[in-house]
Amino acid sequence: MKFFEILRLVWVNIIENKSKVLLTSLGIVVGSATIVLVIAIGHGGQVDVEEQFKNLNVGAIEVTIGQSLDAMMDKMMENGGIAPGGMPNGAMPSGGNMPSGGGMPSGVGMAGGGMSSGAGSSNRNSFAARQNNFRVEFTASDIEDIRNLVPNISAVSLLASGDGAVLGGDLEEETTYTIVGTMSDYVSISNLELLYGDFFTDEDLENKSKVAVIGYTAAQEIFGSAYYAQGQSIQIEGKNYDIVGILKSMGTVSSGISPDEAIYVPYDTAKKFIFGNNIETQISAVASDVKQVKTVMDNIETVLKENYPNASFTLTDAGSKMEAATESANTLSMLLIAVASIVFIVGGIGIMNVLFVSVKERTSEIGILKALGCSRREILLEFLMESNFIATFGGIIGVGVGFALVPIVKMTGMTLAPLPIGGILAVLFAVLTGTVFGFYPAYKASVLTPIKALSEE
Amino acid sequence: MEQVIKIENIHKWYKMGENSLEVLKGVSLEVSEGEFLAILGPSGSGKSTLMNIIGCMDDFQEGQYWLTGEPVHEMNDAQLTYMRNAQIGFIFQKYHLIGKYTVLQNVMMPLLIRGYSSHKAAEIAAEKLEMLEMGNRLSHKPNELSGGQQQRVAIARALVGHPKLLLADEPTGALDSATGKEVLKLFEELNEKGHTIVMITHDLQVASHAKRIVKIIDGELFEEGEPAKASSM
């Protein structure tokens, strides 16, 4: 029999059993839609990761203070309070000597409320070391030490961020923006690109110049467009800042600072005029050789340990973060693929059951066809194509349903990035399911002897 | 005359646990081209088994069978399938038309299996149905026809591929006597036109329409007129 004629027979069977085909294909519809969504969610996760890390160097390293307040308290109590010399009474005054957020101008954080103003300079080092237990604030001298002592570093910068009230441009009232105090190296660490103007310089840092570089979205919000922000000034916490640069639209980053909505000012300026002593610093650095990231991290920690012997630090690198985030996205994808596979298996079993029933119902027909000279191969092909048709039909409908569901699922806040390959894969999986699960019933039909088939009415 | 069927000493038995039941005990038969043969036998005599073997639908343990000179006893499944399509036209007691296909599609089927295009197959099938006075029922489904009409369609399907042998199994078994007579008359006409017909029946009246009758009793075949067992039927 010609292949086309077998197709015609299959078509007649499908038309004769429309509702059965529809119901049988439901499992495959669900399976295909799941595949499309799984791939969209998996790819969405990857897009998320890429989006978050696109402005970060793979060799980027972040250093934060690792000791928690509770741990510091425990340690302090263990030591029986602060040693004499640093404190007026040699012990911790009740409720008075805890860090209140004040930073020590010399660079080592000081307890704001409990510190005696009479602490002498001769005791400064030992006192500073003890104060490590409370609060460490990185300083420009730490940056200098790292720059001088740690090899394979291409850029290193201080970084502090917080909210600041901004007024200017089209803003009718003070609006809160993220203010980032940093150094000139930060531009290369975070791969910031300027649309207009320049990033501030080391000179601005030294002079505590009131200059600012604003993110693309912030410029749009404050001045209507990035273009109009050029040469303008804004007020941050009541003080005027000249805008020296406007960033290109950058998207989001993992460090929690979105460059588009942030306003960058020199670190020392931020510290003096915006954050005051209430500042939490971190260090950002970039290893010049990606293979040396681990060594560079160890060396930075060694330098910082030297400066703050009692403090602990948390060092993370962008590569590990990216790896972890990608791994997590991949795990999610694998989990979803497992779910989709189960759905397909269930759908396939559904097809197999219906085909078995169909073979049983059509035993007499198979017998007639065999008596008339239909070969095993033709019977096998007919039933296989029938199961494939059901599966392909279900697969195509499922792909449509899957793509239609994407915007609905997006409403839940998930990032979905549907791919055409998702649709192709879903249909291929459907065809595979139809073939695998349709084969056994088709085979059973093909090996029926004509006498046996004709005798079963 | 060319020999259409030549069967020599066929034995067929079924295994039933440790025992076996022999249903054909050394059957031999020759049918020449243009013959109209009736195989007459009561229920359980082995006539259906013999028909299945003649129709290349069943195998046998011993003996030899040539159909139009081809050694069926040496054939594999694919070759038997080919023989069924090319050399034999089946007419069943219960018509065995496929209910979801139209009359025309049912009659086209042997030609489609043979590899004809549907256009050509439809043309030939329509001609055959016209010849059997079913030309006005081409697009009907089998369940819209009477028993006699369905049997006519089945005969058209058997004839459409110009087989060497028409093999009819109790062709009037499901019909009333008047319709049955019409069908038998049709067989006679077809035989007069040169078709070789082998008809299986348990009814002597039906068998009497054939030119030659062989009787089958307990798996053994006897030409009509042979004494003993034949007269005991």
Side-chain angles (χ1 to χ4, degrees), chain A residues 130-358:
Chain A
R130 282 194 297 274
Q131 287 303 301
N132 284 334
N133 283 341
F134 300 120
R135 173 175 289 278
V136 169
E137 180 195 316
F138 296 128
T139 67
S141 68
D142 296 325
I143 300 300
E144 274 309 304
D145 287 347
I146 291 169
R147 211 172 258 151
N148 295 331
L149 298 171
V150 179
N152 296 320
I153 280 199
S154 62
V156 59
S157 167
L158 281 172
L159 180 73
S161 65
D163 288 341
V166 176
L167 192 61
D170 299 340
L171 297 177
E172 291 176 356
E173 55 184 20
E174 280 192 339
T175 308
T176 301
Y177 279 91
T178 300
I179 310 297
V180 182
T182 188
M183 298 167 135
S184 55
D185 266 9
Y186 189 73
V187 75
S188 61
I189 294 169
S190 273
N191 289 335
L192 299 180
E193 289 179 52
L194 280 112
L195 185 63
Y196 302 115
D198 295 303
F199 210 70
F200 45 77
T201 61
D202 289 343
E203 202 177 312
D204 292 323
L205 197 77
E206 281 165 25
N207 297 338
K208 297 185 179 65
S209 303
K210 291 205 265 309
V211 290
V213 174
I214 65 172
Y216 187 82
T217 311
Q220 280 185 323
E221 286 172 358
I222 299 169
F223 296 102
S225 81
Y227 180 80
Y228 290 130
Q230 294 178 90
Q232 299 287 333
S233 64
I234 49 171
Q235 279 187 8
I236 304 173
E237 295 293 334
K239 292 195 165 50
N240 269 327
Y241 287 74
D242 292 332
I243 294 170
V244 294
I246 297 114
L247 295 178
K248 283 183 180 174
S249 179
M250 307 292 291
T252 54
V253 293
S254 63
S255 60
I257 299 168
S258 167
D260 291 344
E261 281 104 33
I263 298 171
Y264 295 85
V265 297
Y267 178 81
D268 289 339
T269 311
K271 185 176 170 179
K272 185 174 179 185
F273 300 111
I274 300 169
F275 301 133
N277 288 332
N278 186 15
I279 192 163
E280 285 186 14
T281 51
Q282 68 180 64
I283 293 170
S284 289
V286 175
S288 52
D289 182 356
V290 175
K291 290 175 189 161
Q292 296 292 322
V293 169
K294 180 79 183 70
T295 313
V296 169
M297 285 167 77
D298 289 345
N299 289 338
I300 290 175
E301 191 169 20
T302 305
V303 169
L304 293 173
K305 277 276 182 197
E306 186 70 29
N307 291 356
Y308 310 102
N310 295 324
S312 66
F313 308 99
T314 304
L315 287 93
T316 51
D317 64 295
S320 304
K321 274 188 186 176
M322 283 166 82
E323 217 170 89
T326 307
E327 203 173 299
S328 142
N330 287 345
T331 307
L332 179 68
S333 293
M334 291 306 290
L335 183 75
L336 293 170
I337 285 169
V339 172
S341 304
I342 291 167
V343 173
F344 260 111
I345 289 169
V346 172
I349 291 170
I351 287 188
M352 189 164 70
N353 287 340
V354 170
L355 275 182
F356 267 128
V357 173
S358 182

Side-chain angles (χ1 to χ4, degrees), chain A residues 1-2 5 8-9 12-13 16 362 364-365 368-376 450-451 454 457, chain B residues 52 57-58 77 81 84-85 90 92 96-98 100-101 109-110 112-113 115-118 141 157:
Chain A
M1 194 184 289
K2 286 183 176 162
E5 296 304 332
R8 196 195 292 267
L9 292 187
V12 172
N13 285 325
E16 286 284 321
R362 288 157 59 189
S364 171
E365 176 191 326
I368 296 166
L369 289 172
K370 292 204 112 185
L372 295 179
C374 238
S375 66
R376 281 184 185 181
I451 312 167
L454 285 172
E457 286 291 330
Chain B
N52 289 335
M57 293 196 289
D58 203 358
D77 186 70
T81 301
R84 285 199 295 272
N85 180 256
F90 289 95
F92 300 100
H96 283 319
L97 299 173
I98 299 173
K100 64 190 163 205
Y101 301 147
M109 197 55 71
L112 293 177
I113 292 169
Y116 279 54
S117 69
S118 56
K141 294 277 178 76
R157 183 179 65 186

